[in-house]
Amino acid sequence: MWIRSATKEDLDAVHELLVYTWHATFDDVYGVEKVNAVTSHAHSIDALKKQLAKPYSEFILVDDGADILGMAYASQKDHKLSVLNQLYVHPEHQKKGVGSLLLAEVESAFPGVYALQLEVIEQNQNAVRFYESRGYERTKVIDGCGAMLPGVPVLVLEKSLTGYELAP
């Protein structure tokens, strides 16, 4: 496995990964039509292009030389906080270290910030367990996962990034 920065040439494969992973995770919960609506908007090629171009952000992939196994996207909110916006691993490659590799890279990508924050749909208990087992703590629950999934409970988790501070 290799970890690397995403490029424009990767965006079609990243989109396919996101669509596949969302369907595998949420079809039984929200239905195929709702998942299609979310992925066609939030994970569109245009949305991914905007992420790739955003300053103070990190868009990374794990691949095996042939296929993309996982992706993560994070951005720096301010001088104290970065936000993990996305971390997805292909279902066939979950629990094999891909997510841990992505998360470790994102945690070290913003030297000087004090914490990394993320949101995870509360019903996605596999993801909740993953983050909590890596030191993330629940800070609050918000009602609604954007305009696409209103009323869906979302956990906000945060982890201190002590140890990644800039030297004085």
Side-chain angles (χ1 to χ4, degrees), residues 11-163:
L11 297 184
D12 286 332
V14 171
H15 172 73
E16 289 176 21
L17 167 78
L18 292 169
V19 170
Y20 185 87
T21 303
W22 260 75
H23 280 290
T25 306
F26 295 115
D27 276 1
D28 291 343
V29 179
Y30 303 116
V32 173
E33 287 182 28
K34 183 56 87 174
V35 172
N36 282 337
V38 170
T39 57
S40 67
H41 173 71
H43 305 306
S44 68
I45 298 297
D46 284 342
L48 295 173
K49 283 180 184 175
K50 288 176 185 172
Q51 291 175 340
L52 195 59
K54 186 175 179 182
Y56 306 105
S57 67
E58 186 80 3
F59 192 148
I60 56 174
L61 308 174
V62 169
D63 71 40
D64 63 2
D67 297 308
I68 294 174
L69 310 180
M71 65 80 64
Y73 172 74
S75 57
Q76 190 167 335
K77 183 175 180 179
D78 56 35
H79 70 284
K80 293 182 180 182
L81 182 69
S82 290
V83 177
L84 177 61
N85 304 96
Q86 296 172 301
L87 190 153
Y88 293 100
V89 176
H90 191 287
E92 293 175 12
H93 298 283
Q94 292 176 3
K95 299 184 181 179
K96 296 180 181 178
V98 175
S100 296
L101 185 61
L102 288 164
L103 190 58
E105 181 69 19
V106 166
E107 288 175 353
S108 66
F110 303 97
V113 300
Y114 299 106
L116 182 65
Q117 187 179 78
L118 61 95
E119 295 178 3
V120 62
I121 294 172
E122 189 173 35
Q123 287 180 286
N124 189 353
Q125 284 298 301
N126 287 336
V128 173
R129 283 190 295 275
F130 170 78
Y131 292 117
E132 288 181 335
S133 73
R134 282 145 184 89
Y136 286 79
E137 297 178 359
R138 299 174 190 213
T139 60
K140 62 183 170 181
V141 178
I142 55 177
D143 187 29
C145 187
M148 301 303 295
L149 293 171
V152 172
V154 174
L155 297 175
V156 178
L157 300 148
E158 193 169 297
K159 179 179 180 180
S160 170
L161 293 181
T162 56

